[in-house]
Each structure stands twice: as structure tokens, then as C-alpha cells.
Amino acid sequence: MATLPLLSMTIFLPLLGALAIFLNWGKGGQAQANNARWVALWTSLATLGLSLILWINFNEASSSFQFEDKFRWMPLLNIGYHVGVDGISLPFVVLSALLIPLCILTSWSSIQMRVSEYMIAFLFLETMLIGMFSALDFVLFYVFFEGVLIPMFLIIGIWGGPNRVYAAFKFFLYTLLGSVLSLLAILYIYFEVGGSDIPIALTTPFDPKVQIWLWLAFFASFAVKVPMWPLHTWLPDAHVEAPTAGSVILAGVLLKMGGYGFIRFSLPMFPEACAYFTPFVFTLSTIAIIYTSLVALAQSDMKKLIAYSSVAHMGFVTLGIFTVEAQGVQGAVTQMVSHGLVSAALFLCVGVVYDRVHSREIAAYGGLVHRMPRYASVFMFFILASVGLPGTSGFIGEFLVLLGTYQVNTWVAALAATGMVLGAAYALWLYRRVIFGVLIKSKLNTISDLNWREKIVFSPLIVGVLMIGIYPMPLLRMMEASVANIIDQYNLALESENGLGDEKKAMEMALRR
Amino acid sequence: MNIIGILVVFLPLLGFVLAGVLGEKFGDRFSQLVTCGLMGLSTAFAAYLFLEMGLQEKTMIIPFFTWIQVEFFEVSWGLQLDSLSLVMMAVVTLVSFMVHVYSVGYMKGDPGIPRFMAYLSLFTFFMLILVTAPNFLQMFFGWEGVGLCSYLLIGYWYDREKANAAAIKAFLVNRIGDIGFVLGMLTIFVLFGTLDFESIFVLMEEHENDNFLFLSGQYHGLTLASLLLFIGAMGKSAQIGFHTWLPDAMEGPTPVSALIHAATMVTAGVFMVVRLSPLLEYAPVAREFITLIGAATALMAATIACVQNDIKRIIAYSTCSQLGYMFMAAGLSGYSASMFHLTTHAFFKALLFLGAGAIIHAMSDEQNIQKMGGIWKYIPVTYAVMWIGSLALSGIPFFAGYYSKDMIIEVDWVSYLTIGKLAFVLGLAAAILTAFYSWRLLLLVFHGKPRANEVVMSHIHESPLIMLIPLVVLAIGSIFSGSVLYELFVGEETSFWGPAIFVLPEDEVIKAAHYVYGWVHWSSTIAACCGVALAYLLYVFAKSWPQKLAFTFRGIYTFLCQNWYFDELYEYLFVKPSLKLAKILWEEGDQEVIDGLGPNGLASLSVAWGSVLCRLQTGYVYHYAFAMMIGLVLMVAWYVWL
């Protein structure tokens, strides 16, 4: 087992599936579509299996990268193929591998046009995502990071709603703009370090003045992805136009690329800059939580509402990361995983009724509980998880982030805590308008409850949300050592440097007395 | 003992799962049997625990497994059984069992019986988790869980617009309070490094004088934590300012009002305050605040109750008011007195609500007491139990409420805190009003000429046995729970509470309360009698007076009828501005400013520049030659002058 390149297999297996679908072209018609569906499903399930094997064999006690595969790719330029996972990337690898099969299942009958291409796009996307989370070489990372955009752009632009072209371009250009800046930073780091290996770069100290610029360049890229206020307006448009599965993967995994990037690169490489920019990030995050929660209240489109709620929830993530406290950072990762499950499920919930009624307008619904009691229960469950009810995964993430934040800054924590009320307001109000009330709209009179395929899609998400809510220790232990390592390194860097860090440290000390 | 404790808590959860999952398949009867049966078992075990452990003054903690552990932050699931939680368990399970049984009769014919029974059991589970929590976080889990069930049950009739609105309101108002709870919890963690009750209470003296930097101000740590946590309690226990959700919550089915919005959930705030006695003892300022809020609520809610016409709303405001009494006592260190009142109140308030449910049933779903009257002889059992409930509520001697309310009034009197005297006065005033509105209700509902139409009158019937049995059981509790538990709970020599309640020697009010002047002791009884007499005067002897009074003092009357304008104030201050702000941020902020200046602005800018640059490419050679000339001149100039 140990000799197998497990991680590389996990990364490239979906691509193999995509190739199989591609080779099986020609036949056309229903047979080809069905073939593509089954190949995609089994490939993604096998990938999920592989990712679980990774999890089982993962050594929690170690903070170093595991399952490393390395060979020289462009030896003259000192660029290599290098992958590996630690406790911070593994949760996202498993999350991606879990969501893709659900995406394929949920598109089973709702996608009837260009099925093979659609499945290829998703499998290609999976390779890019898992590769992105496990890349340990900057060039490789950048390839995967940008590679994600291509299938996503196509998924929105081809299988999306009426305004899909605008949304696809907005999404693409926004994220590309950020990425270009981060490419400049990567080039600088490459010349500074003399190679593109990430583990080496992570331990290379950078001049604090340079750090500021590098940090900003990376920030541009990651903040768009998160997305942080005010760079968030691409998200609602992209969500609204994307097909259900596109929204699922967008909310479930793509948004995590930003948070992951902050933890993976910004904290260890630019500690002084991080300390310098902490108040800035705190401000943006707090605004994001309150502002977008309020905006969510004003939405009349279900998907837009959930998209805005995503921005608010991701505000907690950036908040937690920049506390650089164990509770805050672990809370941020937990919040990301939780949001990956919950928002994915919420978009699936919208997809269920969209498939039947073909409207995302809240006003088009009402009284669904009369015809769809099971759907109502499932929807309620995820609404509550989104609200952050204790016992669901949403609570663990939010609470740990607040715990970390409160030790650094009580103002920020208190303001962020108002998100608890606003979050409940828009979520329950949405639920009331869609599910409760008298069923009067004639279109809904014949609507059917969840079918078996939809039940299969929802069950792993329900289990995941409850598991993390009641016993999050497997997840927390998985990341414990890696997070501790990053924080230690961060504090060490700030202590040894007599630059920008002192102020923050002194403030922290004063707060803790 | 372990396994019994676990069974008490988890049997209701099992009931929820069985009724929730299989109820649809096996039908109403199955879900009623399984939830009532398991609830009965749970009640029996809770009673056994109370007798075996509570009376023997044994305590124990049953640990389960780690919930969250990050660095030095660690919380575990578990059950803490001590006299405080054992009392709560006994009360909660008993009332819940009675309400389960009553619901079988009350909800007959409702299409959603399995769902209803499942929710009731789920609620009981969360409530039990709350009271047995060994740490703040698990308490919060139960706390939010009961809030969820309250939301689900208020909105149980989901077709009704009003019920939905009330459900969301209840959840949101509670959530606002919960911000306080969470921040308080965080403060505790920063101060003590743990959230376990036992560890915190041991460290209390060490941190007695800690200061804490909160929102750019320096505060006494324990006071700050207590106040923040108390905000949570205010939300859950519907204290003044946060009380607006409780009257609206009456949109839920009546058994729900009895169980959740009278006997158990709303007392969670009181329970928390009592649980935190070791903390509050070191935060005297916070305790004064608690007393003040309690006294203000007791009086405010009682005044509103006097003018309400909806039978359930009267009892709801009464609940608010009685909870105020409990906080009043707790703030003055009379924790055991407040637990005593909590216990007796659970009996007589559940009784009053269930009795009201029986009346509403008998009157074909009429809730307005102005449209009742003269029905006592048709429903004698209900009439009798409503009398018992009112006697107990008003504190007429030898009924349950007499002992507990009297104790609170005495605690108010003996406390050395100045606020105690204020509480004493407000408490007595509220006691007069309590008796008044109770008898107003009795007289208007049962006596006088029938004001309902003939159709309704001809349908009046006594409730079925399955509803009467719980009423009788609770009536017995309302008569005897006071006298039986008096010595145990607040007796001079009692050691029943053991380590569960901590009182500093100088705050020892319960002992002192046994030695007050005779007039203090009887003052609450006299107040109650005054209230009863007033009610008889206005509603039996001088029936035209209420209207005249309402007309003469119409300013005050409308003020009371409008519930002190709290709802209007909040609507004006918070709800409308938030919605307006939401619209502005969405339309102006996101669409105009961010998108307008950001992506769309850049897009149109590049299109505009594109068309400008387009014009440069005219295609005429002399234009290009001219441009080259200018370039050449500039280049030469550059080299010459630099």
C-alpha cells in the first residue's frame, strides 16, 4: 500500500474517467449519455474511496506533508511535480471527492443536453480541485488553481440559466484578475527561492517590506475566491445562472480555495504582513457578515439568498484564520468543511424544486410542506445547520471562530455574533415563505416529494453535518498538528522579528493580561 | 444509577425518533402510545432518581465523550446529576408526561399527530439535556434545542400566517438573547480557561477581582460575564424588553403553551441563574440588575394581564410576571426560594393552561373571555381545577403558590440590598394584580350570564377522561406541592441543595426570611385577598364600573391594551430599519456602487476607451505620418533636455 502513489492516483483517476467518456464518443444518443453518467459516477465513487483510504492511513500526529509524490518535471527550471497532503488539505480533498458524486447524481436526469461533455467537465474539475489542494509546487499549484476555472466557466456558460454568459464572464474575469496578481507574486517567490517547491518556500523568510506586496498580491487572488466583501458580487450571479450541480461545487469547494490559500501560504510565508493586515481583514470580514446577511434578507431569489448567506458564512472563515489562534484557525477550517456540506445541501434543496417547477423565485412557492413533507424535513435540517444550531456542524465552526476572535478582539467578536440573529432571520424567513403557509399555487398541486435518488444524495450530507456537530473530533484531530505547526511558525517569526509584529503581540498580551 | 440517569434523558429522544420516523407508517395511535409510554417510563425513572439521589443528597457526573477539544479548550458531553438538576428532571418529566397524555385527547382529529407527539418528546429531551448539562456549551445545546422545538411547535399549524410569524419572532428574540449567552460563555472561558461548571466554581475566588477588557471598556470580569449570560436568560424567560415573543407564542396549540411556555422552557433562564449561584455571589451588581429586571417584569406583565381578553394571553402574561418573581428572589440570593416557586409554578401554571385548553375546547375554540360566562355548571371538573389553579397562583394560604410566593416576598424584605425593598413593594403590587386578573378570568369565564351564542352553548361539554386525568394530577400538585416541599426546599435546617446552590455567608437570606415581622409574612396573603375582593367588586357587584374606568383612564387603558407599546417600538426601531437597510444595501450598495464601479463599470469603461482608440485608426497615411512626426519631436526633445 505504501508504495502505491495513492495521492496521485486520487488526483488523476477522474481524468482517466473523463478520458474513458471521451473515447466512448461516437455512439451518440441516449446510450452514450447513460454510459457517460455511469462512468462518471463510478469514477467519482472510486475517487471517493481512494480519498477515504488516504484519510484512514493519514498520520494525525505528524504536521508534515504525507503521501508525497515527487518527480522532476522541468529540471532545468527547477520546477517539479510535487504533491502531498497535510491536516489542512486532507479535509478538502475528502470534501471534494464527496461532493462530486453527489453532483453527478443530482444531474442524472436534469441534464439532458451534452451529457458526455458535462460529465467530462465535472471529472476534469475534480482532478483540478484535488490537485489544487494537494499541490506542493507553485507552478503545479497555479496550473490546478487556474485549471479549475475552465470547467467551471463552461459549466456555467453552457448548462446555465438565461443570463449565463454574463455570469460566466463575470466569474471568469473576476477570478482571473486576482490570479494574475498572484502569478506575479509566485514569479517573485520563484526567483527569490530559486525554485518553485512549496515546502521550501514555506520555510524561507521574506523581507517584511516585500511581504506586504506579496501578501497583497495573494490577497487579491484569495479574497475574490472566498469571496470577501466587496469582491463578492460575482458569486450571486454565478450561483443564479449555474446549474444545481455547478452551484453545489462552487459553494462547496471552490469558495474554500481562498481560505485554504490564506492558511497554506499567507500565514506561514508572510507572518509580518499578516499581522499588519489583520485589522483590515477583520474589518472586511465583519462587514461581510453583517452586510451580506442584511442583503440576503432583501432577496427574492432563493439561490441569490443562499449565495449571500455563503458570503456571510465565509466572513467567519477569514475572521478565524486571521486570529491566528488554534481555536480560530481550526474553527475556520471546520466552518469551511461545514459550509461545504450545508450550502451544497441548500443548493441541492433549491435544485429539487427547481427541477419540478423551474423557478427560483421565492414567490413562486409556498405551502410545499403539504405535498412534500420529507423534503420539508430535509430542508429544515439544513436551514438549521446554516443557522448554526448546536448539534450541527455550523455551530462548531462559528463557535470556535468566535472563541478565537474573542481572545483577540471583543468588538469584532460581538459584531460577528450579530450574524447569529441575522442568519436566523433570513434563513427562517426563506423557509417560511417556501415551505409553510397554504398551498394555493396551482403549479404546486401535483409536485412530488423526494425520490430515491434525491434521498441518496441528501443522506451523506445529513450524516456529515450531524457527525461534525456532535463529534467533530476526527476532523479537529486531523488538522490539529498542522494548524499548531503553522501557528508556532507564525509566532516564532513575529517574535524573532522586531518589525511590524510587536504592536499586535503587545496588544494581544494586553488583552490576555 | 448511571443507566437510569441516561434512560431518563434519552427515552424521550427515542420517542421522538420512533414517532418521527415510523409515525407516518404505523399511524397516530402508535405514535401516541410510544411517546406517552416512553415519557411515562422516563418520569418513573426521574422520580426514582429524585428519591434515591436527591433526598440522599448524592451528586454525580456521568461523562460520555469529548465534544470539542482544540488546544486547551475542551468540552465533553455528560450528565450532571445533583439536587438542582434532579428537581428539574422530576418537574420536567412529570409535567411533560401529563401534557403528552392530555395531548392525546386535545389533539384528537388533528392531521399531524405523529409530528406533534414527536416534537413534544424532542422538546423534553432537549430540556433534560439543558438541566443536566455539566458545562456551559452543553447547556447551550439544550438551550437552543428547546428554542428550536418552541419554534416548531408555535408554528405547528403552519397554514396560519400568525402562527408562522409568532414562531419566527420567538426564535429571533431568543437568538438576540443568545448573543449575550455566547459572549458570556466566551468571557467565562477567557477568564477561567474552561467551561465546566465544577471547575469554574472551584476557581471562583481566585478570579474574584479579575478585570476584563470588553468593547473598549474595562469591567469587573465576573459581573460582565454574569450580565451577558443573564441577557440570554432574559430572552428565554421572556423578561421585560425580551418578553414580546411570549404572548405571541400562544398561537401554538394549548398543550404546547402549558409545557413549553409556562412550566418548563421559559423557566430555563431561572434555572441557569440558579445554576450560576457561585458566579453570581461574586457579582453583586449583576444580582441587583437581575432583581430589578425581575421586579419590573413582575409588575409590568401583571398590569397587562389585567386588561387582556384572550384567555391564553392572560395566562401568558401571568407566566411572564411569575418568572419575574423567580428572578427577583434569585437576584437577592434566595436561589432556593426561586427554585421553589419554579416548582410550584410548574404545577399550577401547567394546570391553568391545560384548564384553559379544556375551556377553549368546550367553547368551540373561543378564546375571548368576554364571549364566555355562566358555563361553570356544564364543565364542573374544569371549573374546580381552574379554581385550584387560581388559588395557587394568587398565593391564597395553604395552596402551593402561597408557600413559594410568600417566601420570595420575605426574601425581598430581609435582603440588605436596597433594591430588595423596591422588589418587596413591586412584588406586593404585582400580587394584588395577580389575584385580580385571576379572579377576573374566573368570574368572566364561568359566572354571570352566558355571552356566547346558542350554538356554542349547546355544544359545551366536559372534556374526555384522558384530558381530565392530567388536570386532576396537576391540581393535586397545585394543592400539595407547596406544603410538602416547603421544609425540603426552603426550610431553615435543610441541606437538600448541598453543593448545587452556593450562597456566601453574608447573603444568607433564606434563614433570615423565617424571622420576619408578622405583617411581612401575611402581607402577600392580604395583597391577594385585596385583589380577589377588587375583582368581585368590579365583575360581580358593580359590573358597569370596568367600562367606566376604562373610559375615564383611557390613556392608561390603551397603553396597557397595547402591551406598553413594546411591539410598536421594536417595529419602529429595529424591524423596519433593518429591512430598509437591507434593501438599500442590496440595491444601492451591491448593484449600484460595487457592481457599478467594479465589474460593470470597468466593462463599460473598456468599451468606451476601445471606441476612442478605434478612432485613432483612421486609415489615412498622413495621420500616421503626422503622429510619427510628433513622436520623433518628443523623443528628440527628451534626449536634448535630459
Side-chain angles (χ1 to χ4, degrees), chain A residues 424-425 428-433 436-438, chain B residues 147 150-174 244-252 261 313 567 571 575 579:
Chain A
L428 294 182
W429 200 30
L430 165 73
Y431 189 81
R432 168 194 172 181
R433 286 179 288 172
F436 287 154
V438 190
Chain B
S150 161
Y151 162 80
L152 291 172
L153 282 165
I154 295 170
Y156 173 75
W157 285 310
Y158 42 64
D159 282 351
R160 299 183 187 173
E161 199 58 20
K162 267 180 147 179
N164 284 326
I168 293 186
K169 184 176 178 183
F171 198 88
L172 291 186
V173 173
N174 270 298
T244 53
W245 65 271
L246 187 57
D248 288 16
M250 297 301 126
E251 291 297 332
H261 306 117
R313 280 182 177 249
D567 279 322
E571 181 80 18
V575 180
L579 290 177

Side-chain angles (χ1 to χ4, degrees), chain B residues 10 29 153 169 184 209 218 286 311 323 340 355 377 448 452 582 607 609 626:
Chain B
F10 287 93
R29 186 58 66 194
L153 282 165
K169 184 176 178 183
N209 297 316
Q218 192 87 12
I311 184 168
L323 291 166
F340 188 27
K377 45 184 173 296
V607 169
W609 271 100
F626 186 63

Side-chain angles (χ1 to χ4, degrees), chain A residues 14 17-18 20-25 27-44 104-105 107-108 111 113-123:
Chain A
I21 297 176
F22 179 73
L23 290 179
N24 201 16
W25 212 262
K27 279 187 209 159
Q30 204 55 40
Q32 184 200 335
N34 264 333
N35 215 345
R37 286 182 186 124
W38 283 106
V39 171
L41 181 64
W42 282 111
T43 315
S44 58
I104 288 165
L105 269 179
S107 318
W108 205 260
I111 298 292
M113 186 190 71
R114 300 175 193 270
V115 179
S116 301
E117 289 92 328
Y118 184 85
M119 294 302 163
I120 289 175
F122 265 93
L123 290 176

Side-chain angles (χ1 to χ4, degrees), chain A residues 51-71:
Chain A
S51 76
L52 292 178
I53 292 174
L54 286 180
W55 186 3
I56 292 165
N57 290 319
F58 184 77
N59 178 9
E60 288 166 349
S62 156
S63 67
S64 55
F65 292 103
Q66 302 176 32
F67 308 106
E68 277 185 284
D69 288 321
K70 201 171 180 179
F71 71 85

Side-chain angles (χ1 to χ4, degrees), chain B residues 322 337 340-349 351 388-407 474-486 490:
Chain B
Q322 298 303 309
F340 188 27
H341 197 51
L342 190 159
T343 310
T344 57
H345 175 258
F347 285 107
F348 59 73
K349 196 48 70 69
L351 173 65
I388 294 171
S390 301
L391 286 167
L393 169 64
S394 310
I396 302 296
F398 315 118
F399 288 88
Y402 160 74
Y403 295 94
S404 52
K405 193 182 281 182
D406 193 48
M407 198 65 212
L474 291 170
I476 293 170
S478 306
I479 300 173
F480 297 110
S481 63
S483 45
V484 169
L485 296 173
Y486 182 76
V490 293

Side-chain angles (χ1 to χ4, degrees), chain A residues 212-287:
Chain A
I212 302 277
W213 291 105
L214 293 177
W215 189 93
L216 280 173
F218 272 117
F219 178 79
S221 172
F222 299 147
V224 169
K225 277 273 168 22
V226 167
M228 290 177 76
W229 184 88
L231 303 172
H232 64 278
T233 55
W234 63 270
L235 185 69
D237 284 319
H239 269 310
V240 164
E241 299 305 329
T244 303
S247 291
V248 167
I249 218 67
L250 190 59
V253 193
L254 250 70
L255 301 192
K256 278 73 206 177
M257 290 160 70
Y260 171 76
F262 281 131
I263 303 179
R264 168 66 69 237
F265 302 114
S266 301
L267 286 187
M269 288 201 298
F270 323 125
E272 279 90 355
C274 281
Y276 179 77
F277 282 113
T278 296
F280 171 66
V281 175
F282 277 4
T283 313
L284 291 189
S285 310
T286 316
I287 293 176

Side-chain angles (χ1 to χ4, degrees), chain A residues 166 233 308 370 406 411 432, chain B residues 159 161 187 216 590 595 600:
Chain A
Y166 171 76
T233 55
Y308 274 106
H370 293 271
Y406 199 69
W411 267 110
R432 168 194 172 181
Chain B
D159 282 351
E161 199 58 20
T187 312
S216 14
D590 258 34
D595 264 359
N600 295 352

